[in-house]
Amino acid sequence: MTLDRRHLLMNSGFALAARASSPAWLLAGCAPALHLDRLGSQGVASAVVPRFDLGVASGHPKTTRLVLWTRLTGDDLPEQVSVRWEVAHDETFQRIAASGVETAESAWAHSVHAEPVGLEPGRWYWYRFMALGDRSAAGRTRTAPSADANSGAASPLRYAIASCQRYDAGHYAAWRDVAEQNLDLVMFLGDYIYEGASRSDLPRRHEGGEARTLETYRARYATYKRDPLLQAAHASAPWLMVWDDHEVDNDYAGLQDARLDPRFPERRAAAYQAYWEHMPFPKSARPQLDAPGSAMRITGRLDWGTLARIHLLDNRQYRDPQVCPRPGQGGSNTVKLAECAALLDPRRTLLGPAQERWLAEGWDLRRPWNLLAQQTLMARHSWTDPTAAGGTYWSDGWDGYPLSRNRLLGTVADRRVPGVVVLGGDMHAHVVADLKADFDRPDSPTVATEFCGTSISSNGMPQDRIDRARPFNPHIHWSRSDKRGCMLFTLDANRLQVALRVVDDVADPASAVRTSASFVVEADRPGAARV
């Protein structure tokens, strides 16, 4: 490493993300790019406008292909720009495995969604982009194992779940922790951005007021994407992603927002376009601009060798509106079952009929594990004693659609689907729960296990409020809202090991991150056990 390069690394914002234990490729790959329009014989670089300051990312890994993402920046970009990409077997890019050129267009925010094919199953690669004399930082990614690979025997699947990374609420020490873990996958489960204006009492500020237009959503993503710790996490492994509400507007349901604004479909269309422009989704997922609200499919599946099938759900776009809202509003409410009979309407669905069928028909009965990546807490959580008038529930989550939940878990029980583990976010709390065939009977069989991760940075509700509800929810083993962080998982054919990671000080990007509790799930025995 040259002195200039070392100086660049030491003085970059990424120094906060990289500690001595970080892999060498991470230090080199996630530092600011070397902005080169040409290199002379002495290796001296002439500076140009930085074009890749939103970082790089990869996602949707299959056995022989995946998606590489970046977005060009700068005020003087032409309408169309040719962007070269490279995938290499080695971090020095001496052995190129695939390469190509994509056209970045102003109509799609000069985003790039490259889709290399013909890669080898189950192996790691490095990738980068070049355009307009500039070269991006390098990222590391991998393909999924082949369908017949005995995954989990010699190389278990290591992954993280994360959600709710409100930029102004705190710093991203949790992302630094993820980047250092040498994971195979990161699953992001919603609320990548927050659409609202910054508050003056929070640790940092973002640009503008509430995002409502395509340009303001794009600006909000750019603010988040410039965070060096988030960039490090993106560059460390491929991501699987689902959205929740704040990528558009709090508590929206389908084409309805909480304000009942008749113009909301246009706002959702702008938000969906900005989401695709900034995430490593394939071109086939690009929003349908001629459909109401610019429909975009995020539902999908990934098979990980012979070990697991991962199901990705969308619980926003197809849901029925929340019932029993506050007068004159839509959106969520905390309601008593005895005062809201519509909660038990069997026609209501959180996923939509088509997605419900898709999931019911796609459970894997051969692999030992089925991982369900979705947005919120599935376990019943009553705020009052459910034996007295049926309990009290928050209407925006699965508790607002209890018969839809019953259909899902009933299928799992009836078909004896193996190793169902529900993964969620949204609650800004670490929650570990057993999912019951009948939550009204504590002795009812446990049919699946749930791990709902706390937020990366968004504030949680008071812990004493959760503590008061503990006696009403005996199927919940752990529920802590007082810390930010993520969850780390190690999965093999026999068991799932889970570490609940928490940040000591969310206001400090260099904060220590530790494990607050550990759990294990056996493949042939639904339910979590503390270790």
Side-chain angles (χ1 to χ4, degrees):
M1 184 182 290
T2 66
L3 180 61
D4 288 343
R5 177 66 167 161
R6 185 179 297 113
H7 178 79
L8 176 63
L9 282 171
M10 291 177 65
N11 288 279
S12 74
F14 186 69
L16 290 172
R19 296 192 292 206
S21 60
S22 299
W25 74 267
L26 191 58
L27 289 171
C30 295
L34 287 173
H35 306 300
L36 312 176
D37 55 4
R38 65 173 59 87
L39 279 175
S41 59
Q42 303 301 314
V44 178
S46 56
V48 297
V49 175
R51 300 300 186 183
F52 298 101
D53 66 338
L54 303 189
V56 300
S58 68
H60 285 261
K62 303 294 186 180
T63 55
T64 60
R65 68 187 191 275
L66 42 76
V67 180
L68 308 177
W69 173 90
T70 193
R71 177 190 161 192
L72 300 179
T73 55
D75 295 331
D76 58 343
L77 289 171
E79 287 293 309
Q80 295 186 332
V81 180
S82 294
V83 181
R84 180 172 175 80
W85 54 267
E86 293 179 337
V87 177
H89 291 286
D90 61 310
E91 59 190 292
T92 61
F93 289 84
Q94 297 302 302
R95 296 187 297 126
I96 302 299
S99 62
V101 176
E102 294 288 328
T103 299
E105 302 177 345
S106 61
W108 296 96
H110 290 99
S111 61
V112 179
H113 299 73
E115 300 180 50
V117 297
L119 304 177
E120 298 174 29
R123 69 150 296 152
W124 287 97
Y125 292 94
W126 285 259
Y127 65 96
R128 65 186 180 185
F129 301 87
M130 289 81 73
L132 301 174
D134 195 8
R135 187 174 71 212
S136 74
R140 190 182 73 152
T141 191
R142 63 160 300 162
T143 52
S146 61
D148 59 352
N150 189 18
S151 307
S155 55
L157 169 61
R158 300 189 68 246
Y159 66 93
I161 63 168
S163 62
C164 304
Q165 56 174 2
R166 180 166 176 162
Y167 179 88
D168 50 351
H171 288 277
Y172 291 163
W175 281 133
R176 188 200 68 236
D177 184 46
V178 166
E180 294 172 348
Q181 294 294 334
N182 195 29
L183 301 172
D184 296 295
L185 285 173
V186 175
M187 300 186 201
F188 192 84
L189 304 180
D191 293 345
Y192 191 96
I193 63 165
Y194 279 70
E195 80 287 8
S198 279
R199 297 195 337 236
S200 60
D201 60 334
L202 296 178
R204 54 181 178 171
R205 304 292 295 274
H206 60 64
E207 85 305 323
E210 184 169 355
R212 292 179 174 272
T213 65
L214 179 57
E215 291 308 314
T216 54
Y217 280 113
R218 284 171 171 172
R220 189 63 47 84
Y221 277 102
T223 296
Y224 282 57
K225 288 283 190 179
R226 287 190 174 97
D227 186 282
L229 305 182
L230 176 57
Q231 288 191 13
H234 268 299
S236 68
W239 283 36
L240 300 174
M241 298 139 297
V242 294
W243 55 35
D244 195 18
D245 53 344
H246 286 289
E247 288 89 350
V248 183
D249 187 36
N250 184 48
D251 282 0
Y252 86 92
L255 292 172
Q256 175 181 296
D257 71 347
R259 301 177 183 88
L260 306 179
D261 184 350
R263 298 165 296 177
F264 177 71
E266 289 77 16
R267 180 180 182 183
R268 196 189 86 166
Y272 279 14
Q273 178 170 344
Y275 181 81
W276 182 84
E277 290 171 346
H278 292 84
M279 297 292 122
F281 276 91
K283 298 182 187 71
S284 61
R286 188 158 58 185
Q288 304 167 37
L289 299 185
D290 58 347
S294 291
M296 176 181 166
R297 182 185 173 100
I298 65 169
T299 302
R301 287 192 177 95
L302 170 64
D303 289 337
W304 198 265
T306 60
L307 180 63
R309 172 167 289 179
I310 303 169
H311 312 260
L312 301 165
L313 297 188
D314 179 349
N315 72 13
R316 281 292 161 190
Q317 189 171 191
Y318 313 115
R319 67 159 66 192
D320 290 311
Q322 301 89 340
V323 294
C324 303
R326 297 174 180 86
Q329 298 183 38
S332 69
N333 196 6
T334 300
V335 296
K336 295 180 179 180
L337 180 61
E339 299 173 359
C340 185
L343 280 174
L344 299 181
D345 184 343
R347 297 168 297 180
R348 299 184 64 251
T349 171
L350 184 68
L351 302 178
Q355 189 177 199
E356 278 197 13
R357 289 192 300 271
W358 173 86
L359 179 61
E361 294 167 359
W363 291 113
D364 194 318
L365 304 183
R366 297 179 297 110
R367 293 174 175 85
W369 298 98
N370 282 266
L371 308 180
L372 188 62
Q374 51 89 57
Q375 291 81 354
T376 191
L377 182 69
M378 185 174 289
R380 190 175 77 175
H381 189 280
S382 180
W383 294 104
T384 59
D385 186 351
T387 64
T392 304
Y393 305 98
W394 179 54
S395 66
D396 190 62
W398 283 97
D399 279 334
Y401 304 78
L403 297 191
S404 183
R405 175 178 60 203
N406 288 355
R407 289 192 293 271
L408 190 159
L409 294 177
T411 299
V412 170
D414 292 344
R415 299 190 64 194
R416 299 183 180 180
V417 182
V420 175
V421 177
V422 176
L423 307 169
D426 182 43
M427 305 302 294
H428 306 179
H430 276 324
V431 183
V432 180
D434 294 341
L435 296 178
K436 296 285 187 174
D438 183 353
F439 285 107
D440 285 323
R441 291 175 44 232
D443 61 346
S444 175
T446 296
V447 300
T449 316
E450 179 165 29
F451 294 93
C452 185
T454 191
S455 56
I456 289 287
S457 56
S458 305
N459 293 329
M461 67 178 66
Q463 181 63 38
D464 60 355
R465 184 184 176 200
I466 290 180
D467 291 341
R468 289 194 298 272
R470 284 179 186 270
F472 312 135
N473 302 285
H475 50 279
I476 293 180
H477 299 292
W478 184 273
S479 186
R480 301 291 309 187
S481 63
D482 51 351
K483 288 293 183 181
R484 317 281 62 85
C486 68
M487 287 187 180
L488 301 180
F489 298 78
T490 301
L491 181 70
D492 63 29
N494 299 313
R495 65 184 54 85
L496 174 66
Q497 301 173 70
V498 188
L500 279 54
R501 302 287 285 174
V502 297
V503 175
D504 283 345
D505 183 2
V506 74
D508 180 7
S511 172
V513 184
R514 56 187 172 82
T515 296
S516 62
S518 298
F519 288 84
V520 65
V521 182
E522 302 296 335
D524 58 354
R525 188 185 311 154
R530 181 86 182 270
V531 294

